[in-house]
Amino acid sequence: MASTVKYVRVPPNSANMEAARKRVFEFFKTACRSIPTFMDIYVLDDVVKPSQLRSTVASEIRKNAHVTEPKMPSI
């Protein structure tokens, strides 16, 4: 089985909100594309459906929809 999981490096902060928004959408697409692999690796078929995982990722992203400053201090 070929692994499709990408190793993601943490990039520097976005310069503006447009760049930050683009990065969020790219993260969401990458996360959604990786769900089938995670389902296989952790044998989650009996526990959760892929659509539920996509929903959870989307809801976690929406929790930060109020952010207006792309250069948030790192924690």
Side-chain angles (χ1 to χ4, degrees), residues 28 32 35-36 39 48-59:
F28 181 71
C32 286
I35 286 174
M39 297 282 294
V48 68
K49 294 180 181 180
S51 60
Q52 291 171 314
L53 290 177
R54 278 191 299 275
S55 237
T56 301
V57 171
S59 69

Side-chain angles (χ1 to χ4, degrees), residues 1-13:
M1 176 171 102
S3 177
T4 58
V5 177
K6 295 180 181 179
Y7 292 97
V8 180
R9 200 177 52 150
V10 177
N13 290 336

